[in-house]
Amino acid sequence: GAGVSQSPRYKVAKRGQDVALRCDPISGHVSLFWYQQALGQGPEFLTYFQNEAQLDKSGLPSDRFFAERPEGSVSTLKIQRTQQEDSAVYLCASSLPRVRQKPYNEQFFGPGTRLTVL
Amino acid sequence: RKEVEQDPGPFNVPEGATVAFNCTYSNSASQSFFWYRQDCRKEPKLLMSVYSSGNEDGRFTAQLNRASQYISLLIRDSKLSDSATYLCVGTGFQKLVFGTGTRLLVSP
């Protein structure tokens, strides 16, 4: 079946531009996560949705970062006035609610969007 | 200090070797632990879960020591296809907390 898809796969932005990154989770997965992975580092948590509710946005690095999931399916991560330090791979993951997966809630990752800010 | 710490490597081993990776975590409230594998320019994929009782899957064995807050991964009879970055992962509330990753290079 279809996995998590993300678009675009690659994005080059000039410093100061706004960008929007899209994530299509696995059908039926109510939980959706965004992570940021800088070169040579592990992924870092950004934000988490359960259905359309954003339950945790503690990892968003600044108020330039905004995420939404208005209908509880597709999610968009928006970065305003991009800076060079925003250059990274942005990974989206989805999972079923923990109660339906025992003993753990495996997160399935999309291929990521590689953002380069010049 | 990062919540999950691991040696970045790289570990260079010949085919057939046994290699062990270690990882420590600082959040004693973490409930679940995993090893994820990430190939170059690809997304992370779950390799295996880690339990206090140990977890074996073919050539891979994972172990959790809660008292020492220490996690290990053992790979026996290394294959060329095992070359990848291995990410030690803990859990916060719903989210995954990743280590930096340990790079493994298996050579002929």
Side-chain angles (χ1 to χ4, degrees), chain A residues 10 31 33 35 37 40-45 48 50 56 58 91 98 103-107 109-111 114, chain B residues 2 8 31-32 34 36 38 41-46 49 51 87 91-101:
Chain A
Y10 303 90
S31 299
F33 305 81
Y35 294 86
Q37 186 171 21
Q41 301 296 314
E44 298 271 354
F45 170 79
Y48 156 61
Q50 184 153 319
D56 186 349
S58 61
L91 294 161
R98 186 178 297 177
Y104 59 87
N105 52 334
E106 181 178 356
Q107 293 185 20
F109 285 82
R114 184 175 297 273
Chain B
K2 288 181 71 71
Q31 294 293 311
S32 302
F34 310 97
Y36 272 71
Q38 187 171 29
R41 303 181 81 87
K42 299 285 189 182
E43 71 273 21
K45 292 186 178 177
L46 179 66
S49 301
Y51 307 122
L87 296 157
T91 54
F93 175 70
Q94 298 290 345
K95 67 184 180 185
L96 297 178
V97 180
F98 288 83
T100 303

Side-chain angles (χ1 to χ4, degrees), chain B residues 34-83:
Chain B
F34 310 97
W35 285 99
Y36 272 71
R37 170 187 170 136
Q38 187 171 29
D39 292 291
C40 188
R41 303 181 81 87
K42 299 285 189 182
E43 71 273 21
K45 292 186 178 177
L46 179 66
L47 178 66
M48 61 197 306
S49 301
V50 188
Y51 307 122
S52 297
S53 55
N55 186 18
E56 185 171 323
D57 183 3
R59 298 181 292 109
F60 298 82
T61 301
Q63 189 79 50
L64 166 65
N65 183 323
R66 287 196 183 271
S68 303
Q69 296 186 194
Y70 172 95
I71 301 157
S72 64
L73 176 68
L74 184 76
I75 305 175
R76 292 178 296 278
D77 188 22
S78 301
K79 311 293 185 189
L80 295 176
S81 57
D82 294 335
S83 296

